Amino acid sequence: MAVAHVVHTADRTLTGRQLASLLTPPPEGRFGYRELARAVREALLDGRVALRLRLPAERELAAVLGVSRTTVTGAYDLLRESGYAHSRRGAGTWTALPDGQAPTVLGAFQDDAGATVDLALAAPPAPEAELSAALAAAAAELPRYAGSQGYHPYGLPALRAAIAERYTARGLPTLPDQILVTTGAQQAVSLVLALLGRAGDRVLAENPSYANALDAMRGRMLRVTPVPVTEAGWDTGLVDAALRQTAPRLAYLIPDFHNPTGRLMPAEQRRELARSARATGTWLVVDETLTDMALDVPAPAPFAAAAGEQIVSVGSLSKSCWGGLRVGWVRAASRVVTELARVRITADLAGSVLDQLVAVALMDRLDVILPRRLDELRLRRAALSDALARHVPEWRWAVPPGGMCLWIDLGRPVASSLASRALRHGVRVEGGARFGVDPGTHEHRLRIPFTLPVEVYEPAAERLAAALEGAPGRCADPALPDWVA
């Protein structure tokens, strides 16, 4: 069933300086009206500028860019004519997309064990030896729990303690009663949204962002306020402006090896963002699922270690160990954890005791598991990069310092049509629109994980190159599965 996008109203206005900072100037350095319209359109499709956002007044933008007002008027006229803006007399001009651009729909997930190479799921396999040892340890412990009723809504005490100890070791003192064990990080995010948000509330989200978290926001009927994350990272000035203009109830962030861009938020930006959130009373929901995937830099400290109150952290063993366990958690104030547990009972009562016992044993082995996993990911990242450079040299990407994906710039908005053609060539790949807050954006992007064996990437890149040959312009295929992780 398709998940509808929640339309957020145009009550945010970009200043001239904010818009100018988001535009790519022409090679000659000075905007004509066509170049200005092109730059705004590209910023809109790239997610740097959100939909239904009020553009600066013509006179203001002209002064900032050092061009005539006639230039800005001509650019706005072109944007309106092409469907990328609309105006009401006396009320201003808002960003838009041409008619016919629909939200990405959620197709049925196909568990294809055949010849198709799946480049849509950022999900590594389990560490076999350590998983076997953890299963044996869990089997030995299970009889101790078998005589009880088996329900632990907060999570097994041993696992809560292990997670709390890991936070403490990473620089954030944590007690077990500040931990709620969940059925994966996705349930953790959904529970937090259910507790802290109500239908119609505003939630600030990065654009692009983790697709399943965005779906959870839409499912709760939250109004999403996007803030861009580019290859340069976060613009805390824009985030601060969005927080102050809209005062969202929640802000969902992925500061550690952001999914899908791979960016890492600097410590000073974390402090600035936390100060801005405190000023507006906004709860920060920090997704730290990828924190351990530090490939070229040290693993960052927990966001909440330097950021204060009204922060809910979400984590998981899905990337560090294995998604098949479905073990995640929330780290928050004890009173928040208590309220989350009450919400959780209405969803699934409690998690699997056996899975949690396996998780306890795996956490004892993380010092062995993680170095091997990171070494594998570095090799696979290099293999994917090399293969793409050979077969599609016109594509561009920034090598991320961590995480599990490359955020590919195709150079033209053909991601949806390319994904459709690639599936027929035996490769499943996910277009950037799946990760956008607004439909139709990020159409020139692909997210490609580097979690598969090294030998997979050469033939996969060759198939992508074949699919790219003669790829038509923008065209969405509603039958294309776009289930992602």
Side-chain angles (χ1 to χ4, degrees):
M1 181 176 67
V3 179
H5 279 250
V6 177
V7 176
H8 42 276
T9 57
D11 59 358
R12 289 180 57 207
T13 302
L14 277 177
T15 68
R17 290 191 181 280
Q18 288 171 341
L19 179 58
S21 70
L22 297 170
L23 301 181
T24 302
E28 58 273 18
R30 185 177 177 85
F31 286 105
Y33 77 97
R34 291 186 182 276
E35 290 78 17
L36 180 55
R38 172 199 51 77
V40 173
R41 182 175 65 250
E42 288 180 355
L44 177 62
L45 293 174
D46 192 27
R48 286 172 280 157
V49 172
L51 287 180
R52 294 168 289 278
L53 194 67
R54 196 193 312 271
L55 291 170
E58 295 171 1
R59 191 184 305 277
E60 177 191 359
L61 184 59
V64 171
L65 295 177
V67 299
S68 69
R69 182 177 176 180
T70 303
T71 297
V72 178
T73 300
Y76 282 10
D77 286 343
L78 277 182
L79 290 170
R80 284 188 288 266
E81 290 170 8
S82 57
Y84 289 93
H86 67 88
S87 300
R88 291 201 309 270
R89 183 177 296 277
T93 299
W94 289 274
T95 55
L97 283 177
D99 291 340
Q101 295 298 326
T104 303
V105 299
L106 182 63
F109 172 60
Q110 298 177 349
D111 192 2
D112 185 358
T116 299
V117 177
D118 197 331
L119 296 181
L121 299 182
E128 293 184 11
E130 288 75 20
L131 180 59
S132 296
L135 282 167
E141 285 290 310
L142 190 59
R144 292 180 50 208
Y145 295 86
S148 71
Q149 85 287 355
Y151 293 104
H152 298 270
Y154 288 90
L156 286 186
L159 183 53
R160 298 177 76 197
I163 296 168
E165 288 171 8
R166 185 158 177 79
Y167 272 108
T168 300
R170 293 176 53 224
L172 179 60
T174 301
L175 298 173
D177 65 4
Q178 292 178 273
I179 301 296
L180 175 74
V181 179
T182 61
T183 307
Q186 182 64 21
Q187 186 191 53
V189 171
S190 296
L191 291 175
V192 173
L193 295 177
L195 176 66
L196 299 179
R198 297 291 182 270
D201 282 351
R202 286 199 173 277
V203 55
L204 182 142
E206 297 151 330
N207 192 24
S209 187
Y210 180 48
N212 295 324
L214 294 175
D215 284 343
M217 296 172 201
R218 295 163 188 147
R220 301 294 309 174
M221 300 302 291
L222 298 169
R223 295 186 293 165
V224 184
T225 296
V227 290
V229 178
T230 67
E231 289 185 353
W234 293 258
D235 185 325
T236 49
L238 286 176
V239 178
D240 179 75
L243 287 169
R244 293 182 184 279
Q245 287 185 30
T246 65
R249 173 72 171 159
L250 304 164
Y252 172 77
L253 307 172
I254 312 174
D256 300 342
F257 315 120
H258 174 263
N259 185 2
T261 69
R263 298 298 91 195
L264 177 63
M265 185 182 290
E268 180 54 36
Q269 285 194 332
R270 296 171 188 237
R271 290 189 287 269
E272 291 175 12
L273 198 153
R275 285 194 294 268
S276 297
R278 282 197 300 272
T280 57
T282 301
W283 281 88
L284 294 181
V285 183
V286 181
D287 190 334
E288 298 179 330
T289 304
L290 290 162
T291 295
D292 288 332
M293 302 298 102
L295 302 179
D296 302 329
V297 295
F303 189 100
E309 300 177 353
Q310 279 200 205
I311 296 175
V312 177
S313 302
V314 171
S316 170
L317 287 180
S318 294
K319 310 303 184 186
S320 307
C321 295
W322 186 40
L325 280 179
R326 307 312 307 137
V327 172
W329 56 81
V330 175
R331 191 267 181 202
S334 300
R335 61 179 178 81
V336 176
V337 167
T338 299
E339 293 299 319
L340 285 169
R342 291 174 180 166
V343 176
R344 190 262 176 86
I345 289 172
T346 68
D348 68 350
L349 294 181
S352 161
V353 171
L354 181 57
D355 282 9
Q356 291 181 72
L357 288 173
V358 173
V360 171
L362 285 173
M363 291 197 72
D364 286 341
R365 294 165 171 78
L366 280 179
D367 289 344
V368 174
I369 294 170
L370 285 177
R372 293 177 182 170
R373 171 131 295 171
L374 298 182
D375 285 344
E376 287 176 352
L377 287 174
R378 291 185 191 101
L379 290 173
R380 294 172 180 184
R381 182 183 61 179
L384 173 60
S385 296
D386 291 347
L388 292 176
R390 278 191 294 274
H391 292 284
V392 279
E394 66 271 30
W395 291 2
R396 296 288 179 266
W397 60 90
V399 177
M404 294 185 165
C405 303
L406 298 183
W407 186 233
I408 308 292
D409 185 350
L410 305 177
R412 53 192 177 121
V414 297
S416 292
S417 57
L418 173 60
S420 178
R421 293 169 63 89
L423 195 60
R424 295 193 288 272
H425 283 77
V427 179
R428 180 171 174 257
V429 70
E430 193 57 63
R434 183 72 180 94
F435 305 90
V437 171
D438 293 310
T441 58
H442 305 293
E443 265 292 319
H444 66 301
R445 293 279 187 175
L446 292 179
R447 189 196 75 161
I448 304 184
F450 41 85
T451 53
L452 296 176
V454 166
E455 61 271 15
V456 167
Y457 293 114
E458 184 70 22
E462 188 174 358
R463 295 181 190 182
L464 285 173
L468 189 64
E469 288 296 323
R474 181 191 306 270
C475 132
D477 183 349
L480 181 67
D482 61 357
W483 188 89
V484 297

